[in-house]
Amino acid sequence: MAEYRIDDLARAAGTSVRNIRVYQDRDLLAPPVRRGRTAIYGDGHLARLRLILNMLDRGYAFAQIKEMLDAWTAGHSLADVLGLEEATGAAWSQERPAVVPMARLVRMFGTQLTPSNLRTALELGVLERRGAQFVAPSPGLLEAGHELVKLDVPLAEALALAAELQTETDRIAGLLIGLVRRYVLDPKGPDWLPSGEELPHYADVISRLHPLVMSALSAAVDRSARRLIPEIIGDRLVAMAERAAAEQD
């Protein structure tokens, strides 16, 4: 189970530290675990926070949200509610954010690390600012950009590709998750809510979604790469072979 400090929790949920403290003051969000002076939050806090933000976006007032959350919790055992919330908020990714000093970014991208490209990377979430340093939420994505630049692809083009990739993967992952919702949740009816006995089952369903999405996307990308690399590069290889044959004649 992931652990978050309050600024990490805010970043993961897309909100502010101030808002988190407001939700705690209004008893919408459980207090963190204290380790000395440090407040530690978990996956359940992240899931509850995202639920609160979703309800606020739908126009519910704080009092209405508290009433609904209290009713939800009262109708189920605390262990089952926490299990479902932790499964929903769990950070399954093997990647962990990495601090990236400016000096390292300069070494990676050289003169292409212009103010414009840096601003774009921050807007896309490829980098996040933390004081005088930067954080890469996905070090693997940052390294992929580095490899493209080493191959002489302009950094601006690599950043544009990162934006397009995120849009497309969001869409495809949404299709996969939507199938599970359609055939697992929706057949129960629009007003259905799981009973206490059913909560562990649905927590298990949710916990299996991430590896399922990762497996499907990884397999699809692998198949595409094996098919498209020869197709896209092959014309150059054919041209080289034709030229070599012509030079021998």
Side-chain angles (χ1 to χ4, degrees):
M1 188 173 69
E3 295 185 347
Y4 308 87
R5 299 195 179 200
I6 192 167
D7 55 339
D8 299 321
L9 182 68
R11 188 179 302 109
T15 188
S16 66
V17 169
R18 179 180 177 277
N19 284 343
I20 291 176
R21 292 194 170 118
V22 168
Y23 305 150
Q24 286 181 190
D25 291 342
R26 293 177 179 268
D27 292 328
L28 300 178
L29 191 66
V33 174
R34 290 282 173 182
R35 292 185 188 160
R37 295 187 176 183
T38 304
I40 302 296
Y41 298 83
D43 292 328
H45 290 97
L46 178 59
R48 175 61 66 95
L49 183 53
R50 286 172 171 162
L51 178 60
I52 292 166
L53 295 171
N54 186 294
M55 296 173 83
L56 287 171
D57 286 342
R58 292 169 182 255
Y60 290 106
F62 284 134
Q64 294 172 304
I65 294 174
K66 186 174 188 311
E67 182 180 350
M68 285 187 282
L69 291 178
D70 287 348
W72 154 252
T73 304
H76 305 84
S77 77
L78 182 59
D80 288 337
V81 171
L82 289 177
L84 185 61
E85 290 191 339
E86 287 174 0
T88 304
W92 288 282
S93 174
Q94 298 302 308
E95 277 198 304
R96 288 292 178 262
V99 174
V100 187
M102 175 61 84
R104 184 182 168 202
L105 289 174
V106 171
R107 287 196 302 271
M108 293 174 76
F109 301 107
T111 58
Q112 294 197 58
L113 191 68
T114 63
S116 175
N117 283 336
L118 186 56
R119 184 167 55 251
T120 300
L122 291 168
E123 290 170 353
L124 292 175
V126 175
L127 291 173
E128 296 175 357
R129 194 181 294 277
R130 183 176 292 178
Q133 294 183 315
F134 296 92
V135 171
S138 170
L141 182 61
L142 183 67
E143 185 57 35
H146 181 212
E147 289 298 320
L148 285 172
V149 169
K150 284 166 64 177
L151 291 172
D152 293 330
V153 174
L155 179 56
E157 294 289 336
L159 288 169
L161 176 63
E164 189 171 349
L165 281 173
Q166 190 63 68
T167 299
E168 287 300 309
T169 51
D170 282 353
R171 184 182 66 83
I172 296 168
L175 290 173
L176 286 166
I177 296 165
L179 280 176
V180 174
R181 173 171 174 163
R182 186 183 313 157
Y183 290 103
V184 178
L185 299 180
D186 289 354
K188 304 286 187 179
D191 299 323
W192 171 83
L193 292 173
S195 66
E197 291 131 354
E198 293 172 314
L199 283 183
H201 168 68
Y202 288 100
D204 178 63
V205 169
I206 291 170
S207 71
R208 290 159 65 181
L209 279 177
H210 184 270
L212 169 62
V213 170
M214 290 294 294
S215 177
L217 286 176
S218 177
V221 169
D222 179 66
R223 289 187 65 196
S224 294
R226 284 188 284 114
R227 185 179 72 254
L228 292 177
I229 289 173
E231 288 181 6
I232 293 172
I233 305 299
D235 58 339
R236 288 298 179 90
L237 300 180
V238 169
M240 290 168 62
E242 289 175 342
R243 185 172 64 187
E247 289 173 351
Q248 288 180 355
D249 291 342

